[in-house]
Amino acid sequence: MIQTSKLNIIRNIGIMAHIDAGKTTTTERILYYTGKSRKMGEVHHGTAVMDWMAQEQERGITITSAATTCNWGGYSINIIDTPGHVDFTAEVERSLRVLDGAVAIFCAVGGVEPQSETVWRQADRYRIPRVAFINKMDRVGADFLGTVADIRLRLGVSAVPVQLPLGLEDGFSGVIDLIEMKTLVFDETDLGVTIKLEDIPPQYIAAAEAAHIELLETVATSSEDLFERYLRDGRLGPKAIRAALRSECIEGGLVPVLCGAAFKNKGIQPLLDAIIDYLPSPLDVSPVLGKSAAGQDVEIHADSNGPFCAFVFKSMADPYMGQLSFFRVYSGSARAGSLLWNSVKKRGERLGRLLRMHANHREDIAQVGAGEIAATVGHWVTGTGDTICGEEMRVRLGDIAFPDPVVSRVIESGTQAEIRDLMAALTQIAKEDPSFRFRAEPETSQLVISGMGELHLEIISERLLREFKLNVRIGRLRVAYRETIRKSIRGDGAFIRQSGGRGHFGHVVVNVEPIEPENGNVVEELLGDAIPKEFLPSILGSIRDTLESGIGSPFPLLGVKACVVGGTYHELDSTELAFRAAASMAVRDAILRAHPTLLEPIMALEILLPKESMGGVISDLSARRGRVESLSAKSGAQAIRAKVPFSTMFGYVSALRTLSSGRGVFHMEFDSYGEVPERLQMSILKSM
């Protein structure tokens, strides 16, 4: 356990970026140079330590966040490598919830890419200090200053270079340190372990001096004392520059920018120094806020001697030992086997084995304390978003706000036994991944799974096959159409059966008329004494059942008012069975002559996207039979509100990403039912 006085040597950081910007490659180099790994893993070879899932190794992408701990210069760095694909944004969200700082990686060619913006905004919500690392300086088209300008423009931050590249593309050999005004040249013969400290070459002196002055002028404004010293001496020492950069970075005033080429083993050691120099320790960040059992605000300070308080940010199933739960300790300490209190589920739980994680490898530890990120394994009910604390504290920390799923698909299995196994597997996956949901759809008798995108659901279907040995089929979601009528009409139904003894007699007259679909169906009687009252519940129930089962189509009716206006009965032969049958016949007769038509679900859609993408998106909505209702500015982007038929929205996630260069997001919810155009109704019915 680390004492409170030593908490300043801890850095809890995340590595975040757009897909293929080099997050995992950078993390692999960090592990190598810190001595955590003896060999560099490569994403393209499927050997990256942090991409341990089979799907990650096969696809060459990060799917789930992975945690590890390494040491550099006497400091302990807890790292969470997060996914870069938009479908796995929830993994970034839960990681940022417990981190103190982050390294944002940008491609020197691509600049600020779509998911870079998304994760940056996520970090903004948690007020996480960041340093920027512009990677792939060895690529054709690499543009360091252009990427810095892109960061400033798109992300709206004060990005301050503390390095310049020494050469570009194939000529990239190292970096110019704008604080020490020296060059760092990385030796390619020993994987960049050896770094040569040299003077700045003459051809780079002018650019380096200009960038150095810009750096001095930026940090000098951080305090009056520093500004006066700069005006008096015309310079600032490296120690003062780093201290000012650290203070401003932690406060969120600026973002130090470094550069390198992780794949070519250049620039990683200075990045590690920057993590230590500029990103906060647990003592540097604001206290975490929680709520006591009485609803009062409570500040949780980083203190190893305080009451124990930790937050569970991730859960996953261990096939051999039960549930593996990752947590961040904010205060106090605990040993394996300690009895703790779950403030969310309001029950006591015993802490299982304590583990320090290195991707999917584990190291047993005896105790965990403030500022640390660890995991516990065992059979307990604590899950993602829970607060665990000492009995004397009983405080609850804030939840994690996970995004709502945007894509749904039908999942099918074979036998009843397979369906039971499938439900158990989906329940487990949903517990691990709060952005995944599933439900049974009673209207279509389908099991529906929902996630953040097509890739997200594809990965889940692969997990069902590989981990749970379930041979499932993923299909397209059915549209829950409805049927309604256009005119008022009267229907007549008579059920007469004679079988030698007592017969069955029932005669019912029903009037149907259209009403607004949002009012549902209305069934009532206006017949007076034409039929004895004891038969009315059966008659009205039969009409409701008939409307719900569909008449002119397989779809339930909606927006129909049915009134029983007449009928006759027989004193001896009238029965409930006869009147139920007659009522059904009467309402069917009326509906079929009342010009039935199909209704489709209409969705309320809100899209946030860059202004330059609006034209293409609006045209696409029009092609989907959508109706734009308003345009406005929102959260630094353009907002489109529209009403669109649900049947045209399949595949919209991919379409919007294409039309907006990956920068558009949307939220969709049911709004109302609208009439299906006449030209489409026949094809819909034929497809049933």
Side-chain angles (χ1 to χ4, degrees):
M1 185 191 77
I2 297 176
Q3 298 298 319
T4 299
S5 59
K6 299 284 185 69
L7 285 175
N8 65 316
I9 68 170
I10 293 180
R11 299 291 184 271
N12 291 312
I13 68 160
I15 310 292
M16 61 185 201
H18 185 86
I19 189 170
D20 202 35
K23 298 179 311 305
T24 302
T25 301
T26 300
T27 307
E28 292 296 319
R29 270 53 182 175
I30 287 174
L31 297 179
Y32 180 77
Y33 293 125
T34 58
K36 189 70 177 182
S37 298
R38 284 182 286 182
K39 184 180 179 181
M40 292 182 185
E42 300 294 358
V43 174
H44 60 286
H45 289 157
T47 58
V49 173
M50 303 301 279
D51 285 349
W52 58 270
M53 289 178 65
Q55 293 97 323
E56 293 178 316
Q57 293 169 355
E58 291 169 1
R59 296 170 182 269
I61 62 171
T62 302
I63 294 171
T64 182
S65 54
T68 190
T69 301
C70 57
N71 296 291
W72 181 254
Y75 288 79
S76 176
I77 306 175
N78 296 314
I79 301 173
I80 297 181
D81 180 29
T82 64
H85 196 285
V86 65
D87 282 16
F88 309 107
T89 300
E91 285 291 310
V92 183
E93 189 76 28
R94 67 162 127 212
S95 300
L96 291 175
R97 172 66 176 77
V98 296
L99 295 174
D100 299 327
V103 176
I105 299 180
F106 300 91
C107 174
V109 180
V112 179
E113 297 170 284
Q115 187 64 4
S116 303
E117 289 188 51
T118 302
V119 297
W120 192 274
R121 303 304 178 200
Q122 287 176 283
D124 281 344
R125 289 202 300 274
Y126 294 106
R127 299 180 180 178
I128 292 178
R130 280 144 279 179
V131 298
F133 180 69
I134 299 179
N135 192 26
K136 303 189 178 183
M137 292 304 308
D138 59 320
R139 292 286 184 90
V140 175
D143 184 354
F144 176 76
L145 294 180
T147 304
V148 172
D150 206 22
I151 293 172
R152 291 168 175 167
L153 176 65
R154 291 191 175 276
L155 305 179
V157 297
S158 177
V160 184
V162 295
Q163 295 176 347
L164 288 180
L166 186 64
L168 286 175
E169 301 178 352
D170 288 343
F172 178 71
S173 59
V175 298
I176 301 172
D177 185 338
L178 296 176
I179 297 176
E180 299 286 349
M181 290 301 284
K182 292 285 185 178
T183 63
L184 304 174
V185 180
F186 301 89
D187 190 341
E188 295 186 11
T189 63
D190 64 353
L191 300 177
V193 173
T194 301
I195 304 174
K196 301 174 184 176
L197 188 65
E198 300 176 350
D199 291 332
I200 300 173
Q203 67 268 33
Y204 291 102
I205 289 177
E209 288 181 345
H212 178 70
I213 291 171
E214 180 186 353
L215 173 62
L216 292 179
E217 291 177 346
T218 301
V219 300
T221 59
S222 63
S223 72
E224 289 187 11
D225 177 64
L226 213 58
F227 188 63
E228 289 177 0
R229 198 189 321 173
Y230 176 62
L231 288 178
R232 182 182 66 246
D233 302 335
R235 60 181 296 278
L236 294 171
K239 186 176 180 180
I241 295 173
R242 289 192 179 93
L245 283 170
R246 176 177 180 80
S247 175
E248 286 295 295
C249 180
I250 292 174
E251 291 296 322
L254 57 80
V255 176
V257 182
L258 299 91
C259 62
F263 183 65
K264 293 294 182 66
N265 314 312
K266 298 172 183 176
I268 303 303
Q269 297 95 323
L271 175 61
L272 282 163
D273 291 335
I275 290 170
I276 303 304
D277 290 340
Y278 308 132
L279 294 181
S281 74
L283 294 174
D284 296 317
V285 296
S286 301
V288 178
L289 294 178
K291 290 281 186 184
S292 68
Q296 297 176 323
D297 290 337
V298 178
E299 287 189 348
I300 312 297
H301 295 267
D303 182 359
S304 299
N305 300 314
F308 184 78
C309 183
F311 184 80
V312 179
F313 64 95
K314 181 174 181 176
S315 298
M316 55 189 295
D318 185 289
Y320 305 106
M321 292 182 286
Q323 181 173 301
L324 184 66
S325 298
F326 294 77
F327 61 94
R328 157 76 188 265
V329 182
Y330 288 99
S331 173
S333 62
R335 290 185 171 273
S338 300
L339 184 62
L340 301 173
W341 179 256
N342 185 320
S343 299
V344 176
K345 295 187 170 66
K346 294 182 171 56
R347 57 172 286 174
E349 293 203 65
R350 195 167 295 279
L351 195 61
R353 283 175 56 192
L354 287 174
L355 307 168
R356 180 169 289 117
M357 301 299 297
H358 178 46
N360 62 330
H361 302 289
R362 304 156 188 175
E363 173 193 346
D364 281 280
I365 55 176
Q367 189 173 2
V368 65
E372 295 184 85
I373 294 176
T376 183
V377 66
H379 298 279
W380 68 342
V381 299
T382 296
T384 301
D386 287 355
T387 302
I388 49 175
C389 52
E391 286 274 4
E392 75 281 6
M393 196 170 197
R394 299 203 175 191
V395 66
R396 178 173 178 172
L397 303 180
D399 296 328
I400 307 174
F402 289 105
D404 292 326
V406 296
V407 172
S408 296
R409 290 289 181 268
V410 171
I411 188 168
E412 298 172 340
S413 192
T415 65
Q416 194 63 38
E418 288 175 335
I419 292 174
R420 285 195 298 270
D421 292 341
L422 175 60
M423 294 295 287
L426 293 177
T427 300
Q428 180 174 313
I429 292 173
K431 187 175 182 180
E432 297 177 11
D433 182 358
S435 65
F436 168 74
R437 297 171 197 171
F438 70 97
R439 71 182 188 278
E441 188 63 62
E443 295 179 4
T444 57
S445 301
Q446 294 176 310
L447 185 60
V448 178
I449 58 174
S450 302
M452 299 306 299
E454 303 287 351
L455 179 60
H456 187 195
L457 296 185
E458 186 180 327
I459 295 296
I460 286 172
S461 66
E462 287 183 10
R463 288 191 60 193
L464 291 170
L465 177 63
R466 296 183 183 198
E467 295 178 30
F468 300 95
K469 312 303 179 186
L470 294 170
N471 189 17
V472 297
R473 297 175 297 279
I474 304 296
R476 182 167 168 168
L477 187 65
R478 293 181 196 165
V479 178
Y481 289 104
R482 294 289 186 270
E483 189 179 20
T484 193
I485 56 177
R486 295 174 178 166
K487 63 179 291 187
S488 300
I489 203 83
R490 181 167 294 194
D492 196 292
F495 184 85
I496 303 171
R497 295 289 186 275
Q498 198 67 40
S499 57
R502 183 177 176 181
H504 294 280
F505 179 89
H507 174 223
V508 177
V509 181
V510 176
N511 188 76
V512 297
E513 61 180 277
I515 58 176
E516 291 297 324
E518 54 263 31
N519 294 328
N521 293 325
V522 176
V523 180
E524 59 187 21
E525 56 87 15
L526 298 171
L527 65 145
D529 298 327
I531 299 174
K533 298 295 184 184
E534 63 264 26
F535 295 118
L536 283 176
S538 297
I539 292 172
L540 299 179
S542 177
I543 293 173
R544 293 189 187 95
D545 291 344
T546 303
L547 292 176
E548 290 175 3
S549 63
I551 296 175
S553 73
F555 310 114
L557 279 108
L558 189 66
V560 175
K561 181 177 181 181
C563 296
V564 182
V565 295
T568 55
Y569 77 102
H570 190 280
E571 289 186 359
L572 296 178
D573 292 345
S574 288
T575 61
E576 286 191 7
L577 175 63
F579 273 113
R580 283 187 63 87
S584 179
M585 294 165 64
V587 75
R588 285 177 180 277
D589 174 57
I591 293 295
L592 290 172
R593 293 186 292 112
H595 293 189
T597 188
L598 289 184
L599 298 175
E600 62 183 345
I602 304 297
M603 312 305 288
L605 184 68
E606 182 178 25
I607 308 169
L608 291 177
L609 74 169
K611 186 176 182 180
E612 58 268 23
S613 304
M614 287 185 66
V617 171
I618 290 174
S619 296
D620 181 68
L621 289 175
S622 179
R624 295 173 187 270
R625 296 192 284 119
R627 185 179 73 253
V628 175
E629 298 203 320
S630 69
L631 304 173
S632 61
K634 183 178 180 180
S635 304
Q638 296 297 310
I640 301 174
R641 289 181 175 86
K643 299 287 178 63
V644 190
F646 178 62
S647 62
T648 69
M649 292 302 290
F650 296 118
Y652 191 67
V653 174
S654 299
L656 180 61
R657 289 174 185 169
T658 300
L659 291 167
S660 63
S661 300
R663 290 185 165 88
V665 295
F666 74 95
H667 175 73
M668 182 172 68
E669 61 184 24
F670 173 76
D671 180 74
S672 60
Y673 276 93
E675 190 172 329
V676 177
E678 194 79 38
R679 69 182 188 280
L680 300 177
Q681 294 197 28
M682 189 58 66
S683 62
I684 291 171
L685 293 173
K686 284 182 178 179
S687 66
M688 293 297 107

